[in-house]
């Protein structure tokens, strides 16, 4: 129960729930975003047809509102030559105008003419009718039509004249013709046809009215012009201003029997106006065509949603990694406290036993005094060494001290260390080589700690029959290279990056007690502190080599 209470609590269930929730929201957001874009595309498909309609019909509207009224500038004095020039300009610029009939009209009160339309004393009749159209060589051809040939268009002439004479009844000196009235009187629209008569001046209209109402007027002759434009709506150029929405746009008759399968096609239409009213604009797109546009617009949205999703997943990963690292740190610190307690407990216990023995003994011999004094001194040194190591490690790690560098002869530095090794570990097969030309500039106290840690490890992590250590001190052009080679139990390669971390302990039979996981971390901090580098190379059950690389000192004199 106590062990479970000391364990680091890792609430992975909450983290998994967070990841699952984020993933569900990601999928829902993706589906919702695509659905919204699909609905938007369908709405846009139905709405933007007006833009295509306006751009496609614009040339016809300009022709109808701007070009046709130019006829009135001539005030009825157009002849066949001028009419041909005007028609040539119209028919070449507007492909939907297939042919044009020009009526050279006379308005008179004469009784000698039998043709035309007579209303009271006013007679309106065509002196000539000329048809203009382009031939196969794209040349304008003018053909004078006889009365029998114009019967097909008699109704258009009669309708225009009847509106005209009807308007004369309403003309007064104060008459001002509005655009609406001009449109009603001087234009006649029917399927595929636009008729237009030039607009006379008010004075001429009053003169026509007098001729119509009285027979006592002298015989006079007035000229009027009328044009009948034959329109082919299918030749209107379609301007698809939304090619990403409309795969195909056609001009079709209103009664067209074109049927599409609604499961596979999106379709909408608009009727054409006025003289084009027998036709419609039909907009059609296949499902696969619109899906391309949906996917094109969905791509940046999906990318944005994906970025947010992966950011959240990355945050979840960071939380997971933090939990895992904290769990490992908790375990390492827990082990560190246990081992540190053991390290302190042993010398403290020995000191306490020695103290109790001294206290309980009535009389101590000189030999016993020396023995207990030596024990107390040794155990105090152990405690002091352990505390100094912890304090030094903390100071170095926090950079609260500066290295006390001094120039030292390599052989003079190594000699007392190697002599102490032989005395401390008489069963260790120890050897060394020193081949250098320069002095070292180092903090001797810190470097001594590194040597002691690596020598102690070589002895500690070797089996009794394989206690071997060779220290090789060499020099190259830039550095001192110091190798500590043993024949111990070795270290697995997967642990090479971990052995220099604080509180980390390699799990083996030699490391169950008495290690707090600071030795190699302490060595690395010191070497880094002095501007050097420490490396490890090891093979399990064959041995380990630690290599120190330290910068060169000044050359010997």
């Amino acid at each position: 129960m106590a062990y479970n209470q000391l364990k680091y609590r890792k609430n992975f269930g909450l983290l998994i729930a967070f990841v699952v929730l984020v993933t569900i929201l990601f999928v829902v957001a993706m589906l919702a975003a695509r659905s919204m874009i699909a609905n938007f595309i369908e709405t846009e498909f139905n709405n933007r047809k007006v833009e295509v309609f306006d751009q496609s019909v614009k040339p016809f509207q300009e022709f109808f509102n701007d070009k046709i009224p130019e006829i009135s500038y001539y005030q009825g004095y157009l002849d066949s030559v001028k009419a041909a020039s005007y028609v040539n300009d119209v028919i070449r610029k507007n492909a939907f105008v297939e042919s044009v009939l020009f009526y050279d009209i006379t308005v008179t009160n004469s009784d000698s003419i039998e043709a035309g339309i007579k209303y009271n004393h006013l007679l309106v009749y065509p002196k000539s009718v000329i048809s203009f159209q382009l031939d196969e060589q794209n040349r304008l051809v003018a053909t004078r039509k006889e009365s029998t040939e114009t019967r097909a268009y008699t109704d258009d002439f009669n309708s225009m004249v009847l509106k005209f004479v009807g308007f004369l009844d309403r003309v007064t000196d104060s008459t001002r013709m509005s655009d609406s009235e001009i449109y009603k009187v001087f234009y006649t629209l029917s399927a595929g046809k636009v008729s237009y008569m030039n607009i006379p001046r008010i004075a001429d209209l009053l003169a026509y009215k007098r001729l119509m109402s009285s027979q006592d007027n002298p015989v006079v002759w007035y000229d009027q012009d009328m044009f009948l434009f034959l329109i082919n709506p299918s030749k209107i150029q379609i301007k698809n201003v939304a090619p990403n929405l409309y795969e195909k746009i056609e001009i079709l008759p209103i009664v067209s029997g074109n049927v599409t399968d609604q499961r596979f096609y999106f379709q909408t239409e608009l009727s054409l106006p006025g003289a084009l009213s027998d036709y419609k604009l039909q907009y059609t797109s296949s499902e696969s065509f619109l899906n391309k546009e949906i996917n094109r617009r969905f791509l940046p949205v999906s990318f944005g949603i994906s970025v947010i999703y992966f950011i959240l997943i990355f945050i979840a990963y960071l939380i997971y990694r933090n939990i895992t690292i904290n769990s490992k740190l908790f375990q390492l610190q827990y082990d560190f406290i246990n081992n540190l307690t053991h390290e302190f407990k042993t010398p403290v216990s020995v000191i306490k036993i020695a103290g109790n023995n001294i206290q309980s003994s009535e009389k101590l011999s000189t030999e016993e005094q020396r023995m207990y004094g030596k024990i107390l001194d040794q155990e105090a040194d152990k405690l002091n060494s352990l505390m100094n190591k912890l304090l030094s490690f903390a100071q170095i790690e926090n950079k609260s001290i500066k290295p006390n560098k001094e120039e030292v002869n390599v052989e003079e530095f190594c000699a007392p260390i190697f002599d102490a090794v032989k005395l401390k570990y008489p069963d260790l097969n120890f050897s060394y080589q020193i081949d250098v030309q320069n002095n070292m500039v180092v903090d001797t106290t810190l470097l001594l700690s590194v040597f002691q840690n690596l020598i102690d490890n070589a002895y500690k992590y070797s089996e009794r029959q394989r206690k071997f250590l060779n220290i090789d001190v060499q020099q190259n052009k830039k550095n001192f290279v110091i190798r500590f080679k043993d024949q111990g139990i070795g270290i697995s390669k997967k642990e090479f990056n971990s052995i220099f971390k604080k509180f980390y302990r390699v799990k083996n039979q030699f490391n169950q007690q008495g290690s707090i996981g600071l030795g190699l971390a302490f060595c690395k901090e010191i070497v880094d502190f002095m501007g050097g580098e420490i490396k490890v190379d090891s093979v399990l059950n064959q041995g380990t080599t630690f290599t120190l690389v330290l910068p060169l000192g000044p050359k010997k004199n």
Side-chain angles (χ1 to χ4, degrees), residues 95-117:
F96 47 82
V97 179
E98 283 200 322
S99 62
V100 180
L101 266 67
F102 167 59
Y103 292 81
D104 188 7
I105 299 173
T106 297
V107 180
T108 183
N109 57 348
S110 173
D111 293 329
S112 61
I113 305 299
E114 297 182 357
I117 295 178

Side-chain angles (χ1 to χ4, degrees), residues 421-433:
V421 171
K422 295 175 182 178
L423 291 174
K424 187 176 181 180
Y425 303 118
D427 57 337
L428 177 65
N429 184 2
F430 177 69
S431 61
Y432 66 88
Q433 299 86 38

Side-chain angles (χ1 to χ4, degrees), residues 11-27 308-321 323:
N11 196 349
F12 288 125
L14 186 60
L15 189 61
I16 292 171
F18 172 76
V19 172
V20 171
L21 177 62
V22 168
T23 303
I24 291 173
L25 291 176
F26 169 73
V27 174
I308 295 173
Y309 171 73
F310 285 116
I311 288 174
L312 293 174
I313 292 297
F314 182 68
I315 291 172
Y317 165 73
L318 292 179
I319 294 172
Y320 167 78
R321 191 180 69 168
I323 292 173

Side-chain angles (χ1 to χ4, degrees), residues 333-484:
Q333 290 173 1
Y334 180 74
D335 292 342
F336 167 72
I337 292 171
N338 281 342
N339 293 322
L340 188 63
T341 302
H342 176 78
E343 288 289 305
F344 275 102
K345 186 176 180 180
T346 300
V348 168
S349 298
V350 173
I351 291 172
K352 186 174 180 61
I353 292 170
N356 287 335
N357 289 340
I358 293 171
Q359 186 179 6
S360 62
S361 179
E362 294 181 357
K363 186 178 180 180
L364 294 175
S365 64
T366 303
E367 186 178 345
E368 287 176 330
Q369 288 178 357
R370 290 176 180 175
M371 179 186 71
Y372 285 126
K374 184 179 180 180
I375 291 173
L376 291 174
D377 186 59
Q378 288 177 344
E379 298 305 319
D381 285 343
K382 288 183 181 178
L383 287 174
N384 186 57
S385 175
L386 183 58
M387 293 178 66
N388 285 337
K389 181 182 288 188
L390 291 172
L391 180 60
S392 298
F393 186 87
Q395 290 175 333
I396 291 172
E397 187 177 39
N398 295 325
K399 294 181 173 58
S400 59
I401 62 171
K402 294 182 178 179
N404 183 22
K405 290 187 177 182
E406 58 181 306
E407 184 176 351
V408 61
N409 181 277
V410 178
E411 293 183 356
E412 291 178 359
F413 171 78
C414 294
I417 299 175
F418 296 164
D419 290 342
V421 171
K422 295 175 182 178
L423 291 174
K424 187 176 181 180
Y425 303 118
D427 57 337
L428 177 65
N429 184 2
F430 177 69
S431 61
Y432 66 88
Q433 299 86 38
I434 300 175
D435 183 12
V436 298
Q437 293 80 41
N438 291 61
N439 292 336
M440 287 194 297
V441 179
V442 293
D443 188 316
T444 55
T445 303
L446 295 179
L447 186 58
L448 175 62
S449 298
V450 175
F451 270 66
Q452 288 174 342
N453 269 285
L454 294 178
I455 292 169
D456 290 344
N457 282 350
Y459 183 83
K460 180 179 177 181
Y461 296 107
S462 298
E463 296 176 353
R464 180 174 298 179
Q465 67 276 15
R466 297 181 61 186
K467 291 189 181 295
F468 168 88
L469 175 63
N470 175 261
I471 299 177
D472 184 20
V473 183
Q474 300 290 332
Q475 176 186 338
N476 56 32
K477 291 182 179 180
K478 295 182 179 180
N479 303 295
F480 291 105
V481 181
I482 308 169
R483 293 183 178 87
F484 296 75

Side-chain angles (χ1 to χ4, degrees), residues 9 21 25 40 57 63 76 100 142 148 157 168 178 200 219 259 287 323 372 375 408 430 432 446 464 478 513 529 547:
R9 296 182 62 185
L21 177 62
L25 291 176
F40 179 78
V57 176
F63 159 73
V100 180
T148 54
F157 174 78
L168 291 178
S178 65
V219 175
V259 179
E287 189 174 32
I323 292 173
Y372 285 126
I375 291 173
V408 61
F430 177 69
Y432 66 88
L446 295 179
R464 180 174 298 179
K478 295 182 179 180
Q513 297 293 338
F529 191 59
T547 303

Side-chain angles (χ1 to χ4, degrees), residues 40-51:
F40 179 78
I41 292 292
E42 286 191 42
T43 302
E44 193 174 4
F45 178 87
N46 290 314
N47 292 342
R48 292 199 65 187
K49 61 185 178 182
V50 177
E51 294 181 40

Side-chain angles (χ1 to χ4, degrees), residues 95-144:
F96 47 82
V97 179
E98 283 200 322
S99 62
V100 180
L101 266 67
F102 167 59
Y103 292 81
D104 188 7
I105 299 173
T106 297
V107 180
T108 183
N109 57 348
S110 173
D111 293 329
S112 61
I113 305 299
E114 297 182 357
I117 295 178
K118 190 169 186 179
Y119 187 79
N120 291 340
H121 305 289
L122 187 70
L123 176 66
V124 181
Y125 75 95
K127 289 190 295 184
S128 63
V129 179
I130 301 175
S131 173
F132 297 96
Q133 62 184 19
L134 298 176
D135 63 9
E136 294 180 356
Q137 285 76 38
N138 202 34
R139 295 174 300 181
L140 184 68
V141 177
T143 306
R144 187 175 296 274

